[in-house]
Amino acid sequence: MNETILNIYLVINDGYVVEFRAAAYEREGGDDNKIEFLKLHASADFNNAYKFDAPSDKYGKFMKYRKFSKLESRGMHFQLFEEIFSSFNVPEHPLICVTPVVDGKILAG
């Protein structure tokens, strides 16, 4: 059965998360194969990925990456991706690969 899987990019400039991007695929098979597929396509997907607003406070200031990292360590970063998840109509616990793009450099591994 096919599942929608996502490459999500954190665009980080000068220590701030300034943009999200995402690319979706319909794939079947095991989770390990899907993750490997996403990693393989991470660099190539970036330029064609859909752009999404990054979170900002009431003053329009972007979130520091350090704060995002704390949310991620608690498993709470998924809340920040809700707009992406609803745009691609993914299930409640989607399979994703998050790739940082720091000052223009894609850190795909």
Side-chain angles (χ1 to χ4, degrees):
M1 185 173 129
N2 279 348
E3 173 184 15
T4 302
I5 59 175
L6 301 171
N7 261 335
I8 296 179
Y9 302 89
L10 294 177
V11 180
I12 304 161
N13 291 332
D14 296 321
Y16 290 88
V17 179
V18 298
E19 181 180 74
F20 293 146
R21 292 191 187 193
Y25 291 95
E26 292 286 326
R27 300 289 292 182
E28 61 179 80
D31 286 353
D32 289 343
N33 289 339
K34 292 174 188 171
I35 290 289
E36 192 59 38
F37 175 86
L38 289 173
K39 286 181 178 181
L40 202 67
H41 289 83
S43 292
D45 284 349
F46 179 71
N47 288 327
N48 296 322
Y50 292 94
K51 296 178 182 181
F52 294 89
D53 292 334
S56 59
D57 64 16
K58 62 184 178 182
Y59 304 108
K61 289 188 158 200
F62 291 114
M63 175 187 295
K64 286 188 178 243
Y65 176 70
R66 193 170 57 233
K67 183 175 181 181
F68 177 89
S69 183
K70 286 180 183 177
L71 290 172
E72 185 177 36
S73 69
R74 295 185 206 134
M76 297 173 64
H77 62 298
F78 281 91
Q79 296 170 9
L80 301 175
F81 300 147
E82 285 302 320
E83 181 184 1
I84 295 170
F85 296 158
S86 63
S87 293
F88 291 106
N89 199 27
V90 295
E92 189 172 326
H93 299 287
L95 190 128
I96 66 171
C97 180
V98 179
T99 301
V101 181
V102 180
D103 298 323
K105 183 176 180 184
I106 300 170
L107 303 180

